[in-house]
């Protein structure tokens, strides 16, 4: 199931491609087919075009690829400030107002009021609440967390992440919110999980389970070497689609990533990389895969090469 956030992201990628000076007639036709897929697709593209126009980018799209210098457009200060604010809002990740947050590349350990210990991966945001009745709740907006929940049989600990619902009384597990997927890896005890459709499942230590587009999947044996590698300072990929690799990478650096064509999205990555050296991963991707990475201020463009 394609979410509203997915459609907005895809619409932005179409605009970057079509205004890059590299788009062919086939690209324009493909975008038009994408727009006509549904009313939601058309709305997402219209919203992206309106914001793009407000940012002043539509008038000079070819500047990205031109080799001859051109005089920069100078905006009056109020307009420039407004454009900067709009761009910041466009690129702001969910959960920027959350109670607990980490920056890209920051790993942070937190002890909650109830004694539960949390280790947050980079670019993670969550809300924590313990109400008067003793109910313990976490809302994970983005990122990845290793939970060591303090035992309390009377007051369950509930985590919401996307459409995933996780309920425990005291155990250790890892929750990874990655796009429209949620991945749960249980290392100690057992966890009760459910989805928006009411499906429920018990997950035991040594098992992992995923929600795909909000739907709960079947438990699988825990692949701790991959799922928990970040806790040991590693990124481990086994035949992982390139968009998922870049989403994990964005927890370690602040560049936004935009794909310019579908072919690049289909490529997959296998390897082990140091968590604190994202540039090494980028070099490996460009060396091993038929892709071109174009670095712009705050943005990384990914396109197929060949």
């Amino acid at each position: 199931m394609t979410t509203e956030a997915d459609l907005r992201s895809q619409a932005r990628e179409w605009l970057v491609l079509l205004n890059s000076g590299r788009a062919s007639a086939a690209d324009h036709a493909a975008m038009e087919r994408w727009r006509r897929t549904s009313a939601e697709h058309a709305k997402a593209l219209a919203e992206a075009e309106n914001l793009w126009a407000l940012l002043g980018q539509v008038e000079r799209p070819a500047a990205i690829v031109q080799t001859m210098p051109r005089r920069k457009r100078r905006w009056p200060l109020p307009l420039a400030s407004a454009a900067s604010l709009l761009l910041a809002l466009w690129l702001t990740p969910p959960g920027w107002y959350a109670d607990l947050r980490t920056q890209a590349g920051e790993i942070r350990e937190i002890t909650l009021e109830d004694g539960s210990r949390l280790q947050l991966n980079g670019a993670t945001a969550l809300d924590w609440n313990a109400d008067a009745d003793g109910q313990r709740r976490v809302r994970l907006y983005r990122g990845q967390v290793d939970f060591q929940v303090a035992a309390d049989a009377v007051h369950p600990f509930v985590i919401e992440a996307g459409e995933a619902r996780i309920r425990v009384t005291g155990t250790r597990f890892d929750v990874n919110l990655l796009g429209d997927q949620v991945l749960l890896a249980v290392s100690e005890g057992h966890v009760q999980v459910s989805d928006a459709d009411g499906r429920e499942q018990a997950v035991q230590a040594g098992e992992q389970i995923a929600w795909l587009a909000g739907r709960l999947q079947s438990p699988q044996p825990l692949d701790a070497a991959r799922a928990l590698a970040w806790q040991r300072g590693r990124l481990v990929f086994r035949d992982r689609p390139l968009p998922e690799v870049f989403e994990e990478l964005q927890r370690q650096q602040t560049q936004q990533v935009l794909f310019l064509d579908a072919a690049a999205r289909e490529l997959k990555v296998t390897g082990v990389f140091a968590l604190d050296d994202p540039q090494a991963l980028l070099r490996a991707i460009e060396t091993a895969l038929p892709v071109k990475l174009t670095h712009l201020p705050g943005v990384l463009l990914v396109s197929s090469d060949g």
Side-chain angles (χ1 to χ4, degrees):
M1 181 179 67
T2 302
T3 66
E4 184 177 347
D6 292 332
L7 292 179
R8 289 198 298 266
S9 177
Q10 292 169 16
R12 292 196 296 265
E13 291 174 12
W14 277 120
L15 287 182
V16 170
L17 172 61
L18 298 185
N19 290 283
S20 68
R22 301 174 59 247
S24 64
D27 291 326
H28 284 271
M31 185 279 289
E32 184 63 22
R33 289 194 298 272
W34 183 90
R35 183 183 68 82
R36 293 180 179 178
T37 300
S38 71
E40 289 76 16
H41 284 70
K43 179 183 176 183
L45 188 60
E47 290 177 350
E49 287 173 335
N50 288 339
L51 182 54
W52 191 279
L54 286 172
L55 293 173
Q57 297 186 28
V58 167
E59 296 182 14
R60 300 183 185 274
I64 295 175
V65 295
Q66 283 177 341
T67 57
M68 293 296 292
R70 295 183 63 175
R71 185 176 64 182
K72 293 183 178 179
R73 179 181 182 181
R74 297 187 180 276
W75 290 345
L77 183 59
L79 181 57
S81 299
S84 297
L85 176 60
L86 285 168
L87 182 58
L89 292 174
W90 188 29
L91 298 178
T92 295
W96 65 272
Y97 48 82
D99 296 336
L100 301 172
R101 301 186 303 275
T102 54
Q103 302 299 318
E106 175 190 7
I107 293 180
R108 181 181 174 192
E109 292 188 5
I110 296 170
T111 300
L112 302 179
E113 304 161 16
D114 69 335
S116 297
R117 296 172 58 192
L118 278 57
Q119 184 178 22
L120 282 61
N121 199 349
T124 293
L126 60 86
D127 280 336
W128 153 252
N129 179 52
D131 60 29
D133 295 329
Q135 297 295 319
R136 303 178 291 170
R137 293 185 178 276
V138 163
R139 176 66 182 178
L140 181 61
Y141 295 103
R142 55 185 167 89
Q144 185 171 19
V145 183
D146 174 56
F147 290 88
Q148 298 181 59
V149 175
D152 186 341
V154 178
H155 304 111
F157 194 107
V158 178
I159 299 100
E160 298 179 1
E163 298 298 329
R165 300 294 181 272
I166 301 165
R167 184 177 183 273
V168 301
T169 55
T171 186
R172 184 171 183 177
F173 54 94
D174 183 279
V175 180
N176 186 3
L177 179 55
L178 197 64
D180 65 350
Q181 299 183 56
V182 179
L183 308 174
L184 167 69
V186 182
S187 51
E188 297 177 8
H190 66 276
V191 174
Q192 192 70 27
V193 301
S194 61
D195 63 17
D197 293 333
R199 283 180 289 270
E200 296 185 357
Q201 177 71 51
V203 187
Q204 309 297 326
E207 293 184 330
Q208 62 186 38
I209 198 167
W211 289 256
L212 301 180
R215 296 179 62 86
L216 191 60
Q217 308 298 298
S218 300
Q220 303 293 327
L222 173 60
D223 183 0
R226 185 189 65 79
L228 307 179
W230 69 277
Q231 298 175 29
R232 303 187 301 276
R234 295 286 183 268
L235 289 170
V236 178
F237 302 116
R238 295 175 182 166
D239 208 29
R240 290 283 296 280
L242 199 54
E244 292 185 15
V245 171
F246 275 113
E247 186 157 2
E248 296 239 21
L249 186 63
Q250 283 183 272
R251 294 173 179 170
Q252 311 309 321
Q253 62 175 22
T254 57
Q255 272 189 316
Q256 296 293 314
V257 177
L258 294 176
F259 281 81
L260 299 187
D261 55 68
R265 286 180 170 275
E266 299 301 320
L267 298 172
K268 296 185 178 181
V269 175
T270 295
V272 179
F273 305 92
L275 191 70
D276 61 357
D277 192 1
Q279 294 304 313
L281 174 54
L282 291 177
R283 290 192 297 270
I285 288 173
E286 198 162 26
T287 299
L289 298 177
V291 296
K292 180 179 180 181
L293 306 182
T294 303
H295 297 264
L296 300 176
V299 180
L300 177 64
L301 305 181
V302 184
S303 58
S304 56
D305 184 17

